[in-house]
Structures are given as C-alpha cells and as structure tokens.
Amino acid sequence: MMYINPFRTILLTAGAVAAMTLTGCASTGDLARLQSQVQQLQQQVGQNQQTADQALQKANAAQSTALTAEQAATQAQQTATDTNQRIDRMFKKSMQK
C-alpha cells in the first residue's frame, strides 16, 4: 500500500483549483473581449447599413433625375423635328410662289 501525503494532496488540490480559477478568469476575460468586439462589429454593420441606405437613396434620386432629363431631351428632340418639318414646308411653299 502506498502512503498518501496529506500536505501534497492539499497542495495539488490547491494548484488544481488555482489553475481552474485562472482558466475561468481568462475565459471570462475572453468572453468580455469577444462581447466587446461583437458590439463594435454590430455598430460598424449598422453604420455601413446607414451608408448603404444613403447611397441607395442617392442612386434612386439620380436615376429619377436621369429619367426626367431623358424625357426632356426626347421632348426637345420632337420639338426640333416638328420645327424642322414646318421650316421645310414653309421653304417649299416659298419656292413654289
């Protein structure tokens, strides 16, 4: 039968408890750091989403402006075509006289 030294048992037990406590503290510290990083990332995602939403609004406004400009250009082209046709008719009439 082997002799068990009570002092050595207490010392090993205390060492094991200390190691578990330190590991627990490190884990708690790691968890706190991770939570902080997650919060920072969530804030960045929120800011990026706001920026993306603003960019989308500006793109939609630009598209609307472009469509309005295209309609105005089409109308101006039609007006110019109509005016040219009238001028051609007037010229032809004046040449016939």
Side-chain angles (χ1 to χ4, degrees), residues 21-52:
T21 303
L22 291 175
T23 303
C25 290
S27 295
T28 302
D30 289 343
L31 182 60
R33 278 192 301 259
L34 285 175
Q35 287 174 338
S36 175
Q37 288 176 350
V38 167
Q39 288 174 348
Q40 289 174 352
L41 289 173
Q42 286 174 335
Q43 289 174 349
Q44 289 175 354
V45 167
Q47 290 170 350
N48 290 344
Q49 185 62 48
Q50 287 176 345
T51 301

Side-chain angles (χ1 to χ4, degrees), residues 17-90:
V17 169
M20 290 188 326
T21 303
L22 291 175
T23 303
C25 290
S27 295
T28 302
D30 289 343
L31 182 60
R33 278 192 301 259
L34 285 175
Q35 287 174 338
S36 175
Q37 288 176 350
V38 167
Q39 288 174 348
Q40 289 174 352
L41 289 173
Q42 286 174 335
Q43 289 174 349
Q44 289 175 354
V45 167
Q47 290 170 350
N48 290 344
Q49 185 62 48
Q50 287 176 345
T51 301
D53 290 344
Q54 290 171 352
L56 179 61
Q57 288 175 350
K58 289 179 182 180
N60 287 338
Q63 183 179 21
S64 176
T65 301
L67 289 174
T68 301
E70 182 182 22
Q71 290 171 348
T74 301
Q75 186 176 7
Q77 179 63 45
Q78 186 60 46
T79 300
T81 301
D82 291 346
T83 301
N84 284 336
Q85 287 174 353
R86 281 190 216 140
I87 290 172
D88 285 345
R89 284 193 304 266
M90 289 172 58

